[in-house]
Amino acid sequence: MPEFKNKKDCLEPYVDQEVIIGIRPEHVHDEEELLAKYTERITSRLFGEFEICVFAGKDMLFIAGGIALAPLRSVINYCRHYRDRYGKIDILVNNAVTRCACSSWELSMDDFDKSLRINASALFLLTRLVAEDMKKRHEGSIINVGSYMGMRGLNMTNYAGTDMYASSAWPSPAYFYEKGGMLNFTRFAASVLGREGIRVNCISPGGLLDQSHQERFIQQYSANTFLGRLANETDLQGVIVFLASAASLYITGVNIPVDGGYTAK
């Protein structure tokens, strides 16, 4: 990870950012130290706290760290750091997100612009920067983390009887627009980068169980899935490892819903 003086240096101006960059173990000299120091899992997004987590698969090592995606210099320096330290980047998991424009459709243009800078523009930039390195070796895997909300409209029946979405008569379209756009960006990037040996795929998680969720919402949302529950923190690990590994060498340009059957209903 790049060195930061403190958490604030890393997290400003947005605290809920995360990018996962993968380096195969042969390019990591201090793997044992990392695994001894950090939790062996793929972390979720950051919410006000800086953390580094590691998930070790059979043939890869994910190093997950916070990155403020708004400043252009931050993105460029981040990619350069990993390339210089490990020699190459094999895997990119685009998992960064801000929800700063999710509260209402009545937000200002500045609020929507701020959201699009993280959830769209930074996605374009980071993908291109990493792809430039992958092109040199004619291989690489880029995995975009979307959402079931990019595949469906807002199902208000999930929220009936709760105070979720009750603060505004105009729910925000921002997240649905951004995650829906990510699906077609995946197809676009796969079509452009395929000739360079780079695979680009997307996963669309369903709702992730959170302690803040109201019980009525949990029951109503779960009833709309085949498996009868929301996702837990380990449900994405398998599909990410699959798409990052050689097991999926002939898969590109696809979206895989990981939602317990929610979007199949």
Side-chain angles (χ1 to χ4, degrees), residues 120-175:
S121 299
L123 170 70
F124 304 157
L125 173 62
L126 187 59
T127 300
R128 180 180 62 80
L129 291 174
V130 172
E132 285 178 354
D133 181 72
M134 292 176 171
K135 284 169 63 175
K136 299 173 185 176
R137 300 176 311 283
H138 202 71
E139 64 176 358
S141 176
I142 297 172
I143 304 164
N144 297 323
V145 180
S147 170
Y148 75 101
M149 291 183 174
M151 303 173 63
R152 293 287 187 272
L154 180 59
N155 184 355
M156 293 301 294
T157 62
N158 285 336
Y159 308 96
T162 75
D163 58 10
M164 302 168 74
Y165 281 102
S167 61
S168 175
W170 293 87
S172 173
Y175 195 70

Side-chain angles (χ1 to χ4, degrees), residues 101 103-109 111-112 167-173:
S103 62
S104 172
W105 200 341
E106 301 172 290
L107 293 172
S108 70
M109 288 287 288
D111 290 323
F112 288 123
S167 61
S168 175
W170 293 87
S172 173

Side-chain angles (χ1 to χ4, degrees), residues 15 73 90 106 117 123 126 136 157 187 232 234:
V15 297
R73 176 172 47 82
D90 297 297
E106 301 172 290
R117 184 168 179 82
L123 170 70
L126 187 59
K136 299 173 185 176
T157 62
R187 300 182 189 103
N232 62 46
T234 66

Side-chain angles (χ1 to χ4, degrees), residues 252-264:
T252 192
V254 305
N255 174 55
I256 302 178
V258 188
D259 60 6
Y262 185 98
T263 55

Side-chain angles (χ1 to χ4, degrees), residues 20-247:
I20 303 174
I21 293 182
I23 306 98
R24 299 188 189 281
E26 61 264 28
H27 303 288
V28 181
H29 305 296
D30 53 353
E31 179 182 352
E32 292 185 4
E33 178 183 347
L34 285 169
L35 293 178
K37 189 173 182 181
Y38 300 115
T39 308
E40 292 185 50
R41 65 184 177 90
I42 297 175
T43 183
S44 184
R45 299 180 176 98
L46 302 177
F47 290 94
E49 223 178 296
F50 175 63
E51 65 174 324
I52 302 173
C53 292
V54 172
F55 176 84
K58 183 177 180 182
D59 63 347
M60 69 196 70
L61 177 70
F62 288 100
I63 300 177
I67 173 175
L69 287 180
L72 177 65
R73 176 172 47 82
S74 175
V75 179
I76 295 173
N77 289 344
Y78 198 85
C79 292
R80 183 178 298 149
H81 168 85
Y82 274 100
R83 184 196 61 212
D84 292 346
R85 181 172 181 183
Y86 299 110
K88 65 175 184 173
I89 298 173
D90 297 297
I91 306 151
L92 169 66
V93 182
N94 281 314
N95 193 35
V97 69
T98 181
R99 293 183 174 86
C100 64
C102 286
S103 62
S104 172
W105 200 341
E106 301 172 290
L107 293 172
S108 70
M109 288 287 288
D110 287 342
D111 290 323
F112 288 123
D113 288 346
K114 185 185 297 183
S115 181
L116 287 165
R117 184 168 179 82
I118 297 296
N119 296 345
S121 299
L123 170 70
F124 304 157
L125 173 62
L126 187 59
T127 300
R128 180 180 62 80
L129 291 174
V130 172
E132 285 178 354
D133 181 72
M134 292 176 171
K135 284 169 63 175
K136 299 173 185 176
R137 300 176 311 283
H138 202 71
E139 64 176 358
S141 176
I142 297 172
I143 304 164
N144 297 323
V145 180
S147 170
Y148 75 101
M149 291 183 174
M151 303 173 63
R152 293 287 187 272
L154 180 59
N155 184 355
M156 293 301 294
T157 62
N158 285 336
Y159 308 96
T162 75
D163 58 10
M164 302 168 74
Y165 281 102
S167 61
S168 175
W170 293 87
S172 173
Y175 195 70
F176 293 81
Y177 177 86
E178 291 157 352
K179 291 304 183 181
M182 177 181 273
L183 294 182
N184 215 35
F185 171 71
T186 298
R187 300 182 189 103
F188 167 82
S191 67
V192 172
L193 299 175
R195 60 191 175 188
E196 307 294 345
I198 301 169
R199 297 179 294 112
V200 187
N201 293 291
C202 185
I203 63 172
S204 290
L208 180 65
L209 184 61
D210 187 272
Q211 293 181 347
S212 67
H213 286 154
Q214 298 174 30
E215 186 60 32
R216 186 157 184 175
F217 165 76
I218 294 174
Q219 293 174 356
Q220 290 169 168
Y221 180 95
S222 297
N224 282 321
T225 71
F226 292 151
L227 297 183
R229 65 175 178 86
L230 280 89
N232 62 46
E233 63 178 10
T234 66
D235 282 329
L236 297 184
Q237 292 183 0
V239 68
I240 290 177
V241 170
F242 169 67
L243 290 175
S245 72

